[in-house]
Amino acid sequence: MGKLLIVGTVAFDAIETPFGKTDKILGGAATFIALAASHYRTDSAIVSVVGDDFPKKYLEGFRQRGIDTSGIEVVPGGKTFFWKGRYHNDLNMRDTLATELNVLADFKPVVPGAHRSADILMLGNLHPDIQLSVIDQMEDRPKLTVLDTMNYWMDHTPDELARVIGKVDVITINDEEARQLSGEYSLVRAAKAIHQMGPRYVVIKKGENGALLFHDGQIFFAPALPLEEIFDPTGAGDTFAGGFTGYLAQTKNISFNNLRNAVIHGSNLASFCVERFGTERLTHLNRQEIDERLDRFRELTQFDIEVK
Ligand code: AMP
Protein backbone atom coordinates (compact mmCIF):
# COMPACT_ATOMS: atom_id res chain seq x y z
CA MET A 1 0.00 0.00 0.00
CA GLY A 2 1.66 3.21 -1.16
CA LYS A 3 1.41 6.63 0.43
CA LEU A 4 -0.45 9.28 -1.55
CA LEU A 5 -0.31 12.95 -0.61
CA ILE A 6 -2.99 15.19 -2.15
CA VAL A 7 -2.88 18.98 -2.21
CA GLY A 8 -5.82 21.04 -3.42
CA THR A 9 -9.01 22.83 -2.53
CA VAL A 10 -11.58 21.55 -0.08
CA ALA A 11 -14.54 23.72 -0.86
CA PHE A 12 -18.19 24.57 -1.01
CA ASP A 13 -19.61 24.44 -4.53
CA ALA A 14 -22.94 25.71 -5.83
CA ILE A 15 -23.75 24.16 -9.18
CA GLU A 16 -26.35 24.76 -11.87
CA THR A 17 -26.76 22.30 -14.71
CA PRO A 18 -29.60 22.02 -17.26
CA PHE A 19 -30.94 19.25 -14.98
CA GLY A 20 -31.05 21.03 -11.64
CA LYS A 21 -29.19 23.20 -9.16
CA THR A 22 -27.67 22.87 -5.70
CA ASP A 23 -27.01 25.18 -2.77
CA LYS A 24 -23.58 24.92 -1.16
CA ILE A 25 -22.42 21.33 -1.28
CA LEU A 26 -19.10 19.65 -0.61
CA GLY A 27 -16.62 20.23 -3.44
CA GLY A 28 -13.02 21.13 -4.18
CA ALA A 29 -10.31 19.50 -6.24
CA ALA A 30 -8.65 17.71 -3.28
CA THR A 31 -12.06 16.41 -2.17
CA PHE A 32 -12.78 14.75 -5.51
CA ILE A 33 -9.22 13.43 -5.81
CA ALA A 34 -9.21 11.93 -2.32
CA LEU A 35 -12.68 10.40 -2.59
CA ALA A 36 -11.77 8.79 -5.91
CA ALA A 37 -8.43 7.50 -4.52
CA SER A 38 -10.21 6.10 -1.45
CA HIS A 39 -11.54 3.32 -3.68
CA TYR A 40 -7.98 1.93 -3.80
CA ARG A 41 -5.80 0.49 -1.04
CA THR A 42 -3.70 3.57 -0.33
CA ASP A 43 -2.55 5.47 2.68
CA SER A 44 -3.73 8.92 1.61
CA ALA A 45 -3.74 12.37 3.15
CA ILE A 46 -5.01 15.81 2.14
CA VAL A 47 -3.16 19.09 2.60
CA SER A 48 -5.64 21.95 2.40
CA VAL A 49 -7.42 24.69 4.34
CA VAL A 50 -11.03 25.35 5.37
CA GLY A 51 -12.81 27.85 7.62
CA ASP A 52 -14.65 26.92 10.80
CA ASP A 53 -17.88 27.10 8.78
CA PHE A 54 -16.85 23.76 7.24
CA PRO A 55 -19.05 21.00 8.72
CA LYS A 56 -17.15 18.55 10.93
CA LYS A 57 -19.21 15.73 9.44
CA TYR A 58 -17.38 16.21 6.12
CA LEU A 59 -13.98 15.88 7.82
CA GLU A 60 -15.30 12.84 9.67
CA GLY A 61 -16.52 11.46 6.32
CA PHE A 62 -12.99 11.73 4.91
CA ARG A 63 -11.56 9.93 7.95
CA GLN A 64 -14.13 7.16 7.69
CA ARG A 65 -12.87 6.52 4.19
CA GLY A 66 -9.30 6.21 5.48
CA ILE A 67 -8.21 9.69 4.38
CA ASP A 68 -5.87 11.43 6.82
CA THR A 69 -7.13 14.97 7.50
CA SER A 70 -4.33 16.13 9.83
CA GLY A 71 -3.02 18.33 6.99
CA ILE A 72 -6.36 20.17 6.60
CA GLU A 73 -5.95 23.41 8.50
CA VAL A 74 -9.15 24.81 10.03
CA VAL A 75 -8.91 28.61 10.33
CA PRO A 76 -10.87 29.95 13.33
CA GLY A 77 -13.38 32.56 12.16
CA GLY A 78 -12.42 31.88 8.53
CA LYS A 79 -14.69 31.11 5.58
CA THR A 80 -14.17 28.11 3.33
CA PHE A 81 -13.30 28.55 -0.37
CA PHE A 82 -16.50 28.87 -2.41
CA TRP A 83 -17.01 28.27 -6.11
CA LYS A 84 -20.22 28.68 -8.12
CA GLY A 85 -20.63 27.49 -11.68
CA ARG A 86 -23.33 27.17 -14.32
CA TYR A 87 -23.20 24.65 -17.15
CA HIS A 88 -24.61 25.30 -20.59
CA ASN A 89 -26.79 22.81 -22.44
CA ASP A 90 -23.48 21.70 -23.91
CA LEU A 91 -22.02 20.41 -20.66
CA ASN A 92 -18.50 20.99 -21.96
CA MET A 93 -19.14 24.70 -21.47
CA ARG A 94 -19.48 26.32 -18.08
CA ASP A 95 -19.42 29.82 -16.65
CA THR A 96 -17.83 30.54 -13.31
CA LEU A 97 -20.34 32.74 -11.46
CA ALA A 98 -18.32 33.19 -8.26
CA THR A 99 -14.89 32.33 -6.87
CA GLU A 100 -14.44 33.39 -3.24
CA LEU A 101 -10.94 32.47 -2.10
CA ASN A 102 -11.61 33.25 1.58
CA VAL A 103 -9.14 31.22 3.71
CA LEU A 104 -7.30 30.12 0.58
CA ALA A 105 -6.07 33.68 0.01
CA ASP A 106 -3.47 33.44 2.83
CA PHE A 107 -2.91 29.70 2.76
CA LYS A 108 0.60 28.54 3.65
CA PRO A 109 0.48 24.77 3.36
CA VAL A 110 2.17 22.67 6.03
CA VAL A 111 2.79 19.03 5.15
CA PRO A 112 2.49 16.86 8.29
CA GLY A 113 5.78 15.07 9.06
CA ALA A 114 4.38 11.61 8.40
CA HIS A 115 3.45 12.58 4.84
CA ARG A 116 6.71 14.18 3.76
CA SER A 117 7.85 10.79 2.51
CA ALA A 118 4.81 10.02 0.32
CA ASP A 119 5.39 7.77 -2.71
CA ILE A 120 3.07 9.78 -4.91
CA LEU A 121 2.44 13.50 -4.67
CA MET A 122 -0.75 14.73 -6.37
CA LEU A 123 -0.80 18.49 -6.85
CA GLY A 124 -4.44 19.46 -7.45
CA ASN A 125 -5.35 22.65 -9.26
CA LEU A 126 -4.18 25.57 -7.10
CA HIS A 127 -1.90 28.60 -7.16
CA PRO A 128 1.49 27.29 -8.43
CA ASP A 129 3.31 28.86 -5.45
CA ILE A 130 1.29 26.67 -3.08
CA GLN A 131 2.11 23.63 -5.22
CA LEU A 132 5.83 24.60 -5.17
CA SER A 133 5.82 25.04 -1.41
CA VAL A 134 4.52 21.49 -0.99
CA ILE A 135 7.14 20.07 -3.39
CA ASP A 136 9.83 21.85 -1.33
CA GLN A 137 8.58 20.35 1.93
CA MET A 138 8.95 16.75 0.76
CA GLU A 139 11.85 14.96 2.47
CA ASP A 140 12.63 12.64 -0.41
CA ARG A 141 11.68 13.15 -4.00
CA PRO A 142 8.38 11.23 -4.42
CA LYS A 143 8.48 8.32 -6.86
CA LEU A 144 5.96 10.23 -8.93
CA THR A 145 4.73 13.82 -8.78
CA VAL A 146 1.54 14.57 -10.71
CA LEU A 147 0.34 18.08 -11.50
CA ASP A 148 -3.14 19.23 -12.43
CA THR A 149 -3.57 22.84 -13.47
CA MET A 150 -5.79 25.10 -15.56
CA ASN A 151 -5.74 28.02 -17.98
CA TYR A 152 -6.27 30.57 -15.18
CA TRP A 153 -2.68 30.01 -13.95
CA MET A 154 -1.34 30.13 -17.53
CA ASP A 155 -2.89 33.59 -17.86
CA HIS A 156 -2.06 34.99 -14.41
CA THR A 157 1.07 33.28 -13.06
CA PRO A 158 2.95 31.85 -16.08
CA ASP A 159 6.44 32.04 -14.52
CA GLU A 160 5.44 30.32 -11.29
CA LEU A 161 3.53 27.70 -13.29
CA ALA A 162 6.58 27.05 -15.48
CA ARG A 163 8.66 26.43 -12.33
CA VAL A 164 6.18 23.80 -11.07
CA ILE A 165 5.88 22.16 -14.49
CA GLY A 166 9.68 21.86 -14.52
CA LYS A 167 9.57 19.79 -11.32
CA VAL A 168 6.86 17.20 -12.01
CA ASP A 169 6.81 13.81 -13.70
CA VAL A 170 3.22 13.88 -14.96
CA ILE A 171 0.93 16.74 -16.00
CA THR A 172 -2.80 16.31 -16.55
CA ILE A 173 -4.56 19.07 -18.48
CA ASN A 174 -7.42 19.32 -20.92
CA ASP A 175 -6.98 19.70 -24.66
CA GLU A 176 -7.62 23.44 -24.86
CA GLU A 177 -5.20 24.06 -21.99
CA ALA A 178 -2.54 21.89 -23.66
CA ARG A 179 -2.91 24.01 -26.80
CA GLN A 180 -2.67 27.24 -24.81
CA LEU A 181 0.35 26.07 -22.80
CA SER A 182 2.28 24.86 -25.85
CA GLY A 183 1.06 27.23 -28.58
CA GLU A 184 0.53 24.12 -30.76
CA TYR A 185 -2.84 23.03 -32.18
CA SER A 186 -1.91 19.40 -32.83
CA LEU A 187 -2.10 17.55 -29.51
CA VAL A 188 0.86 15.39 -30.56
CA ARG A 189 2.98 18.48 -31.04
CA ALA A 190 1.54 20.06 -27.90
CA ALA A 191 2.57 17.00 -25.86
CA LYS A 192 6.08 17.14 -27.35
CA ALA A 193 6.40 20.79 -26.41
CA ILE A 194 5.14 20.09 -22.87
CA HIS A 195 7.64 17.22 -22.47
CA GLN A 196 10.35 19.82 -23.15
CA MET A 197 9.06 21.85 -20.18
CA GLY A 198 9.70 18.95 -17.77
CA PRO A 199 7.05 16.20 -17.43
CA ARG A 200 8.01 12.74 -18.78
CA TYR A 201 4.32 11.90 -19.00
CA VAL A 202 1.65 14.16 -20.44
CA VAL A 203 -2.04 13.29 -19.99
CA ILE A 204 -4.41 15.29 -22.17
CA LYS A 205 -8.06 15.01 -21.13
CA LYS A 206 -10.68 15.43 -23.81
CA GLY A 207 -13.84 15.25 -21.69
CA GLU A 208 -16.36 12.90 -23.23
CA ASN A 209 -13.82 12.11 -25.95
CA GLY A 210 -11.46 10.32 -23.59
CA ALA A 211 -7.86 10.91 -22.57
CA LEU A 212 -4.42 10.56 -24.18
CA LEU A 213 -1.21 9.55 -22.43
CA PHE A 214 2.06 10.59 -24.10
CA HIS A 215 5.48 9.22 -23.12
CA ASP A 216 8.75 8.93 -24.96
CA GLY A 217 7.23 8.96 -28.45
CA GLN A 218 4.44 6.54 -27.48
CA ILE A 219 0.73 7.36 -27.25
CA PHE A 220 -2.01 5.55 -25.35
CA PHE A 221 -5.69 6.42 -25.73
CA ALA A 222 -8.48 5.71 -23.25
CA PRO A 223 -12.04 6.42 -24.37
CA ALA A 224 -14.64 7.92 -22.07
CA LEU A 225 -17.41 5.42 -21.46
CA PRO A 226 -20.56 6.37 -23.41
CA LEU A 227 -23.03 7.05 -20.57
CA GLU A 228 -26.81 7.11 -20.42
CA GLU A 229 -26.84 9.55 -17.54
CA ILE A 230 -24.73 12.70 -17.51
CA PHE A 231 -25.84 15.07 -14.81
CA ASP A 232 -22.98 17.22 -13.49
CA PRO A 233 -19.40 17.23 -14.86
CA THR A 234 -17.98 19.12 -11.85
CA GLY A 235 -14.90 17.39 -10.52
CA ALA A 236 -14.60 14.86 -13.35
CA GLY A 237 -11.01 15.95 -14.05
CA ASP A 238 -10.09 15.73 -10.37
CA THR A 239 -11.78 12.36 -10.07
CA PHE A 240 -9.73 11.18 -13.02
CA ALA A 241 -6.59 12.33 -11.18
CA GLY A 242 -7.73 10.52 -8.01
CA GLY A 243 -8.39 7.25 -9.81
CA PHE A 244 -5.10 7.59 -11.68
CA THR A 245 -2.94 8.25 -8.60
CA GLY A 246 -4.94 5.97 -6.27
CA TYR A 247 -4.39 3.03 -8.59
CA LEU A 248 -0.66 3.84 -8.95
CA ALA A 249 -0.24 4.16 -5.18
CA GLN A 250 -1.98 0.81 -4.67
CA THR A 251 0.05 -1.04 -7.27
CA LYS A 252 3.36 0.76 -6.53
CA ASN A 253 4.34 0.42 -10.15
CA ILE A 254 5.11 3.50 -12.24
CA SER A 255 6.05 1.83 -15.52
CA PHE A 256 4.50 3.21 -18.73
CA ASN A 257 2.45 0.03 -18.98
CA ASN A 258 0.96 0.56 -15.56
CA LEU A 259 0.35 4.26 -16.24
CA ARG A 260 -1.79 3.09 -19.16
CA ASN A 261 -3.87 1.05 -16.72
CA ALA A 262 -4.03 4.06 -14.42
CA VAL A 263 -5.53 6.17 -17.23
CA ILE A 264 -8.29 3.57 -17.58
CA HIS A 265 -8.90 3.58 -13.81
CA GLY A 266 -9.06 7.38 -13.82
CA SER A 267 -11.50 7.42 -16.75
CA ASN A 268 -13.58 4.73 -15.07
CA LEU A 269 -14.06 6.67 -11.84
CA ALA A 270 -14.70 9.92 -13.73
CA SER A 271 -17.56 8.17 -15.53
CA PHE A 272 -19.31 7.68 -12.17
CA CYS A 273 -18.62 11.21 -10.95
CA VAL A 274 -20.71 12.86 -13.67
CA GLU A 275 -23.83 10.79 -12.96
CA ARG A 276 -24.90 12.80 -9.86
CA PHE A 277 -24.33 16.23 -8.35
CA GLY A 278 -20.95 16.86 -6.73
CA THR A 279 -19.42 14.01 -4.76
CA GLU A 280 -22.64 12.05 -4.30
CA ARG A 281 -21.92 9.24 -6.73
CA LEU A 282 -18.31 8.83 -5.61
CA THR A 283 -19.32 8.35 -2.00
CA HIS A 284 -21.96 5.74 -2.82
CA LEU A 285 -19.93 3.52 -5.06
CA ASN A 286 -18.85 -0.04 -4.45
CA ARG A 287 -16.07 -2.28 -5.72
CA GLN A 288 -18.44 -4.40 -7.80
CA GLU A 289 -19.74 -1.38 -9.75
CA ILE A 290 -16.16 -0.22 -10.36
CA ASP A 291 -15.09 -3.66 -11.60
CA GLU A 292 -18.15 -4.07 -13.85
CA ARG A 293 -17.39 -0.80 -15.55
CA LEU A 294 -13.74 -1.74 -16.00
CA ASP A 295 -15.05 -4.75 -17.90
CA ARG A 296 -17.14 -2.46 -20.09
CA PHE A 297 -14.03 -0.41 -20.85
CA ARG A 298 -12.28 -3.58 -21.94
CA GLU A 299 -15.18 -4.65 -24.17
CA LEU A 300 -15.44 -1.17 -25.68
CA THR A 301 -11.83 -1.09 -26.81
CA GLN A 302 -11.02 -4.70 -27.67
CA PHE A 303 -10.94 -5.75 -31.29
CA ASP A 304 -9.38 -8.51 -33.27
CA ILE A 305 -7.93 -7.39 -36.54
CA GLU A 306 -5.12 -9.24 -38.20
CA VAL A 307 -2.54 -6.90 -39.67
CA LYS A 308 -0.50 -8.77 -42.27
P1 AMP B 1 -13.16 20.49 -12.30
O1 AMP B 1 -14.60 20.30 -12.65
O2 AMP B 1 -12.35 19.23 -12.43
O3 AMP B 1 -12.55 21.65 -13.00
O4 AMP B 1 -13.08 20.82 -10.75
C1 AMP B 1 -14.10 21.47 -10.07
C2 AMP B 1 -13.67 21.75 -8.64
O5 AMP B 1 -12.60 22.71 -8.65
C3 AMP B 1 -14.79 22.38 -7.83
O6 AMP B 1 -15.18 21.47 -6.82
C4 AMP B 1 -14.23 23.68 -7.29
O7 AMP B 1 -14.42 23.82 -5.89
C5 AMP B 1 -12.75 23.66 -7.62
N1 AMP B 1 -12.29 24.95 -8.15
C6 AMP B 1 -12.96 25.82 -8.93
N2 AMP B 1 -12.21 26.91 -9.22
C7 AMP B 1 -11.01 26.72 -8.61
C8 AMP B 1 -9.80 27.49 -8.51
N3 AMP B 1 -9.67 28.69 -9.10
N4 AMP B 1 -8.78 26.98 -7.80
C9 AMP B 1 -8.90 25.78 -7.21
N5 AMP B 1 -10.01 25.00 -7.22
C10 AMP B 1 -11.06 25.47 -7.93
Side-chain angles (χ1 to χ4, degrees):
M1 185 157 92
K3 270 192 180 179
L4 170 64
L5 181 66
I6 299 156
V7 187
T9 42
V10 171
F12 289 130
D13 288 349
I15 303 162
E16 291 178 29
T17 81
F19 315 110
K21 64 191 275 192
T22 66
D23 285 328
K24 285 184 175 183
I25 57 170
L26 174 64
T31 299
F32 284 101
I33 295 168
L35 289 176
S38 73
H39 292 284
Y40 297 87
R41 287 186 304 282
T42 64
D43 181 0
S44 58
I46 298 178
V47 169
S48 191
V49 65
V50 293
D52 59 10
D53 57 348
F54 191 72
K56 300 221 171 11
K57 66 171 185 192
Y58 289 155
L59 293 174
E60 188 48 41
F62 286 138
R63 288 192 284 268
Q64 275 169 6
R65 308 187 70 86
I67 302 160
D68 185 325
T69 59
S70 61
I72 303 182
E73 184 190 341
V74 181
V75 178
K79 280 181 74 184
T80 300
F81 174 76
F82 171 63
W83 175 78
K84 184 173 184 180
R86 182 191 292 141
Y87 289 86
H88 298 200
N89 285 334
D90 172 357
L91 290 176
N92 294 312
M93 310 269 285
R94 78 177 174 202
D95 300 321
T96 289
L97 303 180
T99 302
E100 294 174 13
L101 291 181
N102 300 326
V103 289
L104 201 63
D106 303 311
F107 180 43
K108 303 269 178 294
V110 177
V111 180
H115 298 286
R116 294 188 178 192
S117 56
D119 303 291
I120 298 189
L121 172 59
M122 176 66 230
L123 302 166
N125 175 32
L126 264 183
H127 194 299
D129 279 345
I130 298 180
Q131 296 173 322
L132 276 172
S133 155
V134 171
I135 293 176
D136 290 344
Q137 290 178 52
M138 300 306 282
E139 267 161 22
D140 310 307
R141 191 188 158 102
K143 291 191 184 69
L144 202 74
T145 301
V146 182
L147 169 72
D148 189 34
T149 189
M150 69 189 290
N151 50 1
Y152 180 86
W153 308 116
M154 297 172 200
D155 294 334
H156 293 91
T157 56
D159 298 339
E160 293 89 335
L161 180 62
R163 274 203 290 284
V164 189
I165 293 177
K167 291 188 174 206
V168 304
D169 304 295
V170 186
I171 183 170
T172 69
I173 44 176
N174 73 31
D175 43 2
E176 283 317 310
E177 291 160 352
R179 289 184 172 121
Q180 179 173 346
L181 185 63
S182 63
E184 295 283 358
Y185 183 82
S186 149
L187 294 181
V188 177
R189 285 200 179 154
K192 271 190 192 156
I194 297 169
H195 281 313
Q196 300 292 324
M197 300 174 194
R200 289 179 285 139
Y201 296 97
V202 176
V203 177
I204 300 183
K205 298 170 288 181
K206 291 152 57 77
E208 60 187 344
N209 295 314
L212 294 160
L213 169 66
F214 295 86
H215 171 64
D216 202 13
Q218 304 172 83
I219 308 177
F220 175 69
F221 172 66
L225 215 55
L227 295 173
E228 277 190 33
E229 244 180 300
I230 304 179
F231 196 76
D232 169 22
T234 308
D238 307 311
T239 301
F240 174 91
F244 182 80
T245 49
Y247 172 77
L248 290 174
Q250 175 180 296
T251 53
K252 288 186 143 187
N253 172 349
I254 53 164
S255 65
F256 177 58
N257 223 12
N258 206 44
L259 260 76
R260 293 159 53 124
N261 294 338
V263 170
I264 298 288
H265 279 267
S267 305
N268 192 35
L269 283 190
S271 78
F272 289 105
C273 173
V274 303
E275 289 182 335
R276 300 277 186 284
F277 267 131
T279 58
E280 200 184 321
R281 188 70 175 98
L282 281 183
T283 42
H284 299 98
L285 182 60
N286 61 46
R287 188 76 252 163
Q288 192 187 344
E289 290 175 296
I290 294 176
D291 288 347
E292 277 170 13
R293 244 182 225 191
L294 281 172
D295 262 343
R296 285 177 52 201
F297 264 96
R298 196 180 293 128
E299 280 164 24
L300 186 69
T301 49
Q302 247 174 13
F303 55 86
D304 195 8
I305 297 176
E306 258 186 57
V307 182
K308 299 219 166 63

